[in-house]
Amino acid sequence: MRVYPTFFRLAFSWMDAERAHKIGFKGIRLAHTTGASRLLQRFTAPAPSLQTTAFGVTFPSPFGLAAGFDKEGHGIEALTELGFGHVEVGTITGQAQPGNEKPRLFRLIQDRAVINRMGFNNDGAVAVEPRLKAARDALRRRYPDVRPVIGVNIGKSKVVELDDAVGDYLLSARSLAPAADYLVVNVSSPNTPGLRLLQDVQTLRPLLTAVGEEADRAAGRHVPLLVKIAPDLSNEDIDDVARLALDLKLDGIIATNTTIARTGLKSPAEAVEKCGPGGLSGAPLKQRSLEVLRRLKDATGDSITLVAVGGVETARDVQERLDAGATLVQGYTAFLYEGPFWAARINRQLAKSRRSDKVRNKSS
């Protein structure tokens, strides 16, 4: 019997969603500070059979936490203790910014979904960098063999004009790449005005080229570079991004970010409208994100790492995406509904399934 759904209904469902997130995240970090989560690691640590290699980096599990939960690198160690094979921090911008006005985070509980228009609220790249470095050093000491991986997701500062976007991304890359295991260029959030225009391949090419070169120069090594795209791109645009990624020899594509669509929801239309604009994430995104993943796989074959995110709730969802061509899978929204042992439960079920497959293959 799972206790957390009842706890969520009683403790969090009535509360402002952003306030609930902050309280929950503080609880996770407190468990790390007191040593409680470390004691639980015998139950939450991914099985060795789940180790996965992508773009030359070994992950303890293919399942990780998408950008958006830990925007500023405050809880990386704590989150990895819950079983996530990687934590993608961000989105981080070149300049510190407060984000959009509150309220800006809304739950659609009937749909197991969230609408957000946070607006990349964060302390800025220079302030976040020492947190990432400290977390990376701590994870290296604690896991001398295979440690949880730190991804860093960077975006455009709101006050920076699109014509100056490259320089803004370079500031973030320069500061953050040395502490990142991989770097993600986010051009697909709907909450920064004009940002999605950067997904046009003519604009995207010089941006990705410049960020990749600056990241490697700043880190003194190759930092795997990925781009995160929106589910709202047309199929033709998805094909264009795939061709560009192959041409530039990018290390990966993350599919997908949140959607501006509001189709097929169970929640009353007036409740959805009351939330206002923003990106929708969670279960309603499941089918479209899977379609984008499959299209990218058809277009890129085995030449590039695909990271699937969008509507991932269960181990079956994770496996479906792995079977569809993803090497790594991320989740976020379901974490809010499933609670702190969500990643550990998915890892256990994935490992159990792999053991069963191994036994069947031996007996056949």
Side-chain angles (χ1 to χ4, degrees):
M1 179 180 176
R2 288 165 47 213
V3 175
Y4 187 81
T6 301
F7 175 79
F8 170 83
R9 188 176 69 253
L10 296 175
F12 286 147
S13 64
W14 53 271
M15 190 185 298
D16 171 76
E18 188 170 353
R19 183 177 174 223
H21 172 81
K22 288 181 177 178
I23 292 172
F25 194 15
K26 282 182 180 179
I28 290 170
R29 289 155 59 192
L30 180 62
H32 167 71
T33 302
T34 60
S37 55
R38 190 161 187 168
L39 290 174
L40 287 170
Q41 267 206 293
R42 69 180 68 180
F43 305 105
T44 60
S49 63
L50 295 181
Q51 290 182 12
T52 301
T53 299
F55 37 77
V57 178
T58 302
F59 293 68
S61 164
F63 184 60
L65 183 61
F69 190 93
D70 187 353
K71 294 179 178 296
E72 301 170 311
H74 285 298
I76 297 169
E77 289 180 77
L79 290 163
T80 61
E81 287 172 343
L82 299 181
F84 291 106
H86 67 278
V87 173
E88 191 171 305
V89 178
T91 296
I92 303 166
T93 53
Q95 301 184 35
Q97 54 187 38
N100 294 323
E101 291 185 6
K102 299 178 182 179
R104 55 193 181 182
L105 185 66
F106 309 88
R107 302 186 205 89
L108 299 179
I109 295 177
Q110 287 178 257
D111 292 286
R112 293 177 64 82
V114 164
I115 292 174
N116 94 83
R117 53 173 175 272
M118 301 298 289
F120 292 169
N121 54 305
N122 73 105
D123 292 336
V126 173
V128 174
E129 183 272 333
R131 299 173 199 154
L132 297 179
K133 186 177 184 299
R136 197 164 186 248
D137 290 345
L139 291 175
R140 277 175 167 167
R141 290 192 300 268
R142 187 166 168 188
Y143 306 93
D145 297 322
V146 178
R147 64 169 174 82
V149 170
I150 300 174
V152 180
N153 185 300
I154 60 174
K156 186 185 79 67
S157 302
K158 187 175 182 179
V159 297
V160 172
E161 298 295 331
L162 280 179
D163 289 344
D164 300 318
V166 172
D168 189 56
Y169 277 95
L170 291 184
L171 173 59
S172 295
R174 193 175 306 126
S175 300
L176 302 172
D181 292 314
Y182 69 87
L183 196 66
V184 181
V185 172
N186 184 354
V187 289
S188 51
S189 169
N191 299 316
T192 295
L195 182 69
R196 288 189 169 194
L197 296 175
L198 294 176
Q199 291 179 112
D200 178 82
V201 293
Q202 300 305 317
T203 309
L204 194 55
R205 180 183 292 274
L207 172 62
L208 293 174
T209 300
V211 169
E213 291 174 353
E214 183 64 15
D216 290 358
R217 187 203 62 77
R221 59 181 168 89
H222 176 58
V223 180
L225 182 66
L226 297 81
V227 64
K228 187 169 187 176
I229 64 172
D232 307 311
L233 289 176
S234 68
N235 288 338
E236 292 74 18
D237 287 339
I238 293 168
D239 294 341
D240 286 344
V241 170
R243 282 191 290 269
L244 177 63
L246 292 173
D247 187 39
L248 295 181
K249 294 182 171 55
L250 288 189
D251 295 278
I253 301 173
I254 301 182
T256 63
N257 211 320
T258 58
T259 179
I260 58 174
R262 297 291 188 269
T263 56
L265 299 178
K266 300 175 185 176
S267 300
E270 58 270 21
V272 176
E273 187 175 347
K274 187 177 179 180
C275 295
L280 175 75
S281 62
L285 195 52
K286 186 175 300 188
Q287 188 57 41
R288 178 55 182 166
S289 66
L290 188 55
E291 290 172 358
V292 174
L293 170 65
R294 287 175 171 152
R295 190 168 189 95
L296 287 170
K297 183 63 177 178
D298 287 342
T300 60
D302 297 324
S303 300
I304 197 167
T305 295
L306 300 178
V307 183
V309 57
V312 174
E313 298 186 281
T314 66
R316 181 176 293 180
D317 293 333
V318 174
Q319 190 60 56
E320 184 177 30
R321 281 148 179 75
L322 295 174
D323 292 341
T327 303
L328 302 170
V329 181
Q330 298 178 338
Y332 171 13
T333 302
F335 190 23
L336 310 181
Y337 291 106
E338 293 292 321
F341 299 115
W342 176 54
R345 186 164 60 248
I346 283 179
N347 285 330
R348 281 197 305 272
Q349 292 169 356
L350 286 175
K352 182 180 178 181
S353 177
R354 292 188 180 188
R355 287 194 302 270
S356 299
D357 290 343
K358 193 173 182 180
V359 169
R360 280 196 297 269
N361 290 336
K362 282 185 176 180
S363 61
S364 61

